Amino acid sequence: MMPPPKISGTIRSKNPLKGAVEILPDRLYYAALKAPPPSHNILASTPRKTKATNDTVEKKQIHFFNMDHELVYWNFFLDFGPLNLGQFSRFALKLQDKLHKFPVVCFYSNT
């Protein structure tokens, strides 16, 4: 029997955002993962534990998304650099859409 695929420690821990960089407090995070998360939507508590009315930790849906295969860099000559403005605009629109749909968003890229 084959062993299960290795999933990054960030996702297997109790806190799926462990090691992620907080961009917008309690809303947007960035993480570099070795493997994609097991699900794009995970119900978990955020690192800043906000207390609910009955002293339990409030769990929120964390949506993970990645654009590594959608935004491909096209080099001009033998250069390497940032993505062009059109691709940056596509990323910004998709991120804005995700922030409107989900309470917590984590953008991740593969390492």
Side-chain angles (χ1 to χ4, degrees), residues 8-72:
S8 173
T10 303
I11 300 303
R12 283 200 174 177
S13 65
K14 278 187 172 184
N15 180 2
L17 295 174
K18 181 180 178 186
V21 177
E22 186 176 37
I23 307 297
L24 296 174
D26 287 330
R27 290 282 291 138
L28 178 62
Y29 295 85
Y30 169 76
L33 305 177
K34 294 179 183 177
S39 170
H40 287 288
N41 295 312
I42 297 174
L43 187 64
S45 59
T46 56
R48 292 184 186 199
K49 295 181 180 176
T50 55
K51 298 288 182 179
T53 55
N54 59 357
D55 258 356
T56 59
V57 176
E58 180 184 352
K59 293 193 175 203
K60 297 180 182 179
Q61 178 185 13
I62 302 170
H63 178 74
F64 288 83
F65 82 103
N66 161 324
M67 295 186 74
D68 287 350
H69 299 293
E70 294 175 45
L71 303 178
V72 179

Side-chain angles (χ1 to χ4, degrees), residues 2 6-7 19 70 73 85 95 97:
M2 292 181 61
K6 290 188 177 187
I7 298 172
E70 294 175 45
Y73 177 70
L85 192 56
L95 178 61
D97 182 52

